[in-house]
């Protein structure tokens, strides 16, 4: 009987629409706009954890929307002037509340679940072979946040039956989100509010590092708080007396208090490294993380070839291994290049989709002229090193002319550097073999010291030695 009534509720009410909006709106954002979510190793279809974090980051607008639509749904009885009539029905108020709340919860959970399913199918069909289960709590807490927000909105609207209640709740939760939301750098999350208070917000930052995931204490604390919010919403929805409405605030206050005891106090404890994903898998001197294990066969073959060329050029100073860079850093922070290891970042534009000879050239470039800044869609600082690396690789592979690693017209700023790189190539190739090798050795040393502005001068012979 309950299932039949629930089907009628879903068929004849507006309850399904919030779920449809969640699914359709989210897919419209992901599929119709070419954003950062399509790029890099932390793209929404690249890894399971990043998929969960990207979908959850949409709660920035989905959560206030769920609260508002829940409030609109909660005004149904007051708008139809049936509240007094329904109080005479023998069925308890909590059972009627459970029916409407259940319909809304089912619609929202289904809409968000289908969104996660779409992302999960694309991840499964993609390049990754790493299939952890740590992403499940991220998505489950997101679904709980939508359901709890909607039921809370329904309860508030039942307690305050005004046409201003839904927009007021949406505005309040949007302001709350703006106040508590952290920035997009997970290595150092920050917001205006203290970290524990900020973590009450179920919205996550846009994922930037694929090795980072939310800590268990964040999952537990947010679950306690959202369950309290859900209980308060349901209590308000089923309350028939003023005293019951006053007592309904106890669950949300209790949940918030317990959550604040559990949530991490330090911002750096909010996101933690997924140790299983970060574990290295090696093929001889070439190592990648478990999360990028599918890239190892191609990288191992090309990496060994690159190490051979580097040894011919640099001799004893040549690196003897190729390893994926797993060190975390904030945006625009310098990397720490090593003379013994060629560090690989699969978010680097030169390495992201490189295969075959292009991958070999990119690895040689990073070994000869290490870049201390990220050359990716978020940073781009390392792109200034591309002309220098192009000169070094072309020389190491005995090319008859300069072979750019990237298209010359791909960046306006680089277009002003390429003429200097052409001049440096001409100067370098005009020298004796011994002097050429000496220049490349100086270039390598300058790269390890992060003197990016010094490298082109070294090649051109204009640097002070």
């Amino acid at each position: 009987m309950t299932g039949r009534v629930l089907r009628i509720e879903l068929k004849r009410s507006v309850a399904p629409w919030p779920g449809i909006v969640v699914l359709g709106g989210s897919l419209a954002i992901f599929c119709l706009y070419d954003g950062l979510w399509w790029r890099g190793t932390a793209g929404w279809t690249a890894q399971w954890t990043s998929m969960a974090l990207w979908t959850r980051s949409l709660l920035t607008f989905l959560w206030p929307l769920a609260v508002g639509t829940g409030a609109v749904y909660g005004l149904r009885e007051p708008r139809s002037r049936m509240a007094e009539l329904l109080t005479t029905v023998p069925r308890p108020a909590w059972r009627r509340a459970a029916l409407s709340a259940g319909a809304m919860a089912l619609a929202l959970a289904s809409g968000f679940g289908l969104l996660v399913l779409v992302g999960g199918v694309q991840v499964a069909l993609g390049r990754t072979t790493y299939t952890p289960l740590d992403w499940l709590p991220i998505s489950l807490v997101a679904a709980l946040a939508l359901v709890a927000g909607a039921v809370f909105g329904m309860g508030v609207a039942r307690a305050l039956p005004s046409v201003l209640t839904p927009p007021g709740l949406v505005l309040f939760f949007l302001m709350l989100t703006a106040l508590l939301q952290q920035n997009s750098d997970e290595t150092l999350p920050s917001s205006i509010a203290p970290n524990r208070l900020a973590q009450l917000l179920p919205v996550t930052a846009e994922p930037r590092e694929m090795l980072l995931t939310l800590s268990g204490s964040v999952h537990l604390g947010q679950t306690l708080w959202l369950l309290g919010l859900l209980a308060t919403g349901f209590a308000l929805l089923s309350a028939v007396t003023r005293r019951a409405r006053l007592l309904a605030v106890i669950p949300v206050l209790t949940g918030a208090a317990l959550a604040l005891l559990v949530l991490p106090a330090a911002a750096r404890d909010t996101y933690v490294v997924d140790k299983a994903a970060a574990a290295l898998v090696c093929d001889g001197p070439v190592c990648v993380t478990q999360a990028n294990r599918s890239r190892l066969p191609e990288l191992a073959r090309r990496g060994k070839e690159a190490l051979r060329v580097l040894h011919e050029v640099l001799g004893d100073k040549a690196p003897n291994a190729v390893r994926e860079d797993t060190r975390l850093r904030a945006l625009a922070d310098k990397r720490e290049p090593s003379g013994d290891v060629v560090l690989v970042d699969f978010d680097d534009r030169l390495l992201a989709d490189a295969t075959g000879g292009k991958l070999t050239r990119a690895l040689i470039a990073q070994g000869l002229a290490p870049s201390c800044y990220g050359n990716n869609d978020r940073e781009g600082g390392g792109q200034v090193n591309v002309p220098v690396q192009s000169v070094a690789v072309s020389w190491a592979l005995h090319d008859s002319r300069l072979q750019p690693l990237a298209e010359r017209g791909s960046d306006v700023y680089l277009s002003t550097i390429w003429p200097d790189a052409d001049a440096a190539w001409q100067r370098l190739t005009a020298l004796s073999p011994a002097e050429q090798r000496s220049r490349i050795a100086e270039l390598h040393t300058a790269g390890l010291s992060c003197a990016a502005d010094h490298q082109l001068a070294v090649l051109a012979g204009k640097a002070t030695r």
Side-chain angles (χ1 to χ4, degrees):
M1 182 65 179
T2 302
R4 178 172 175 269
V5 175
L6 181 60
R7 287 195 298 271
I8 294 174
E9 182 77 9
L10 289 170
K11 183 178 180 180
R12 298 184 179 181
S13 71
V14 297
W17 283 104
I20 296 173
V21 171
V22 165
L23 176 62
S26 301
L27 289 179
I29 291 175
F30 280 141
C31 299
L32 298 182
Y33 294 93
D34 184 18
L36 290 174
W37 46 84
W38 284 114
R39 300 186 180 94
T41 57
W44 92 288
T45 60
Q47 301 285 348
W48 289 98
T49 300
S50 59
M51 180 275 295
L53 289 172
W54 271 113
T55 52
R56 185 159 160 180
S57 69
L58 294 179
L59 293 185
T60 300
F61 67 89
L62 291 181
W63 198 43
L65 180 64
V67 176
T69 53
V72 172
Y73 192 45
L75 289 176
R76 180 177 58 170
E77 291 179 9
R79 285 202 314 268
S80 60
R81 299 178 182 180
M82 293 179 57
E84 293 184 5
L85 176 61
L86 291 175
T87 58
T88 64
V89 177
R91 179 175 293 183
W94 68 267
R95 291 191 64 181
R96 290 189 284 107
L99 180 63
S100 56
M104 178 66 74
L106 181 60
L108 284 171
S110 299
F112 188 78
L114 287 174
L115 171 65
V116 173
L117 179 62
V118 171
V121 168
Q122 294 187 70
V123 174
L125 296 177
R127 176 181 291 179
T128 184
T129 57
Y130 179 61
T131 55
L133 295 177
D134 294 346
W135 65 273
L136 281 174
I138 300 174
S139 295
L140 290 175
V141 171
L144 176 60
L146 291 173
V147 172
V151 175
F152 180 76
M154 294 172 65
V156 173
R158 183 68 61 85
L160 300 173
S162 169
V163 293
L164 298 179
T165 299
L169 283 174
V170 172
L171 181 60
F172 173 77
F173 274 82
L174 282 173
M175 293 177 61
L176 185 67
T177 301
L179 179 66
L180 299 182
Q181 190 170 11
Q182 296 178 334
N183 63 26
S184 60
D185 189 359
E186 305 94 327
T187 58
L188 186 60
S190 63
S191 70
I192 300 175
N195 189 66
R196 278 199 174 101
L197 190 60
Q199 288 308 308
L200 292 178
L201 185 72
V203 181
T204 58
E206 297 176 356
R208 185 178 65 86
E209 297 277 358
M210 70 162 184
L211 298 178
L212 287 179
T213 186
L214 288 173
S215 65
S217 58
V218 173
H219 294 320
L220 177 58
Q222 291 181 343
T223 300
L224 291 172
W225 142 250
L226 291 171
L227 286 175
L229 187 69
L230 176 63
T232 290
F234 186 75
L236 288 173
L237 190 60
S238 58
V240 293
T241 64
R242 183 184 299 271
R243 182 172 179 272
R245 295 189 183 97
L246 291 176
L247 292 176
V249 300
I250 294 178
V252 69
L253 295 179
T254 303
L258 293 175
L260 291 175
L261 293 176
V262 174
L263 291 170
R268 289 187 178 274
D269 294 332
T270 301
Y271 289 87
V272 295
V273 175
D274 185 342
K275 294 182 180 179
L280 292 179
V281 182
C282 300
D283 181 349
V286 182
C287 299
V288 298
T289 61
Q290 183 71 35
N292 282 319
R293 185 170 187 168
S294 60
R295 296 176 180 261
L296 182 58
E298 176 74 4
L299 184 68
R301 183 164 58 254
R302 301 300 172 178
K304 293 172 184 177
E305 182 180 351
L307 291 175
R308 178 186 59 78
V309 174
L310 291 172
H311 183 72
E312 292 177 356
V313 174
L314 299 175
D316 295 338
K317 294 183 179 181
N320 50 32
V322 176
R323 178 171 54 82
E324 183 178 353
D325 190 3
T326 59
R327 287 173 295 187
L328 304 179
R329 60 185 182 86
L331 285 171
D333 273 4
K334 288 184 178 180
R335 294 174 178 170
E336 297 179 7
S338 171
D340 298 327
V341 177
V342 178
L343 294 177
V344 172
D345 180 3
F346 288 115
D347 283 328
D348 191 299
R349 292 190 182 104
L350 298 181
L351 292 167
D353 299 312
T355 58
K358 288 186 177 181
L359 180 57
T360 303
R361 296 181 74 92
L363 293 172
I364 296 173
Q366 184 62 20
L368 288 178
S371 176
C372 297
Y373 296 93
N375 180 19
N376 52 59
D377 292 306
R378 286 183 178 269
E379 296 172 292
Q383 64 186 346
V384 300
N385 212 37
V386 173
V388 174
Q389 292 177 332
S390 299
V391 173
V393 174
S394 297
W395 177 86
L397 296 179
H398 310 290
D399 294 331
S400 59
R401 59 187 180 86
L402 177 60
Q403 300 286 344
L405 290 170
E407 294 183 11
R408 291 174 178 257
S410 60
D411 186 87
V412 176
Y413 177 70
L414 286 185
S415 62
T416 63
I417 301 179
W418 280 114
D420 294 333
D422 290 328
W425 169 257
Q426 297 297 331
R427 287 173 176 267
L428 178 67
T429 54
L431 300 173
S432 64
E435 186 65 21
Q436 291 177 19
R437 187 176 295 272
S438 176
R439 291 277 178 89
I440 295 298
E442 289 183 47
L443 174 68
H444 178 67
T445 302
L448 294 176
S449 64
C450 293
D453 56 344
H454 186 62
Q455 290 177 310
L456 198 57
V458 167
L459 286 176
K462 298 179 181 178
T464 302
R465 286 182 267 172

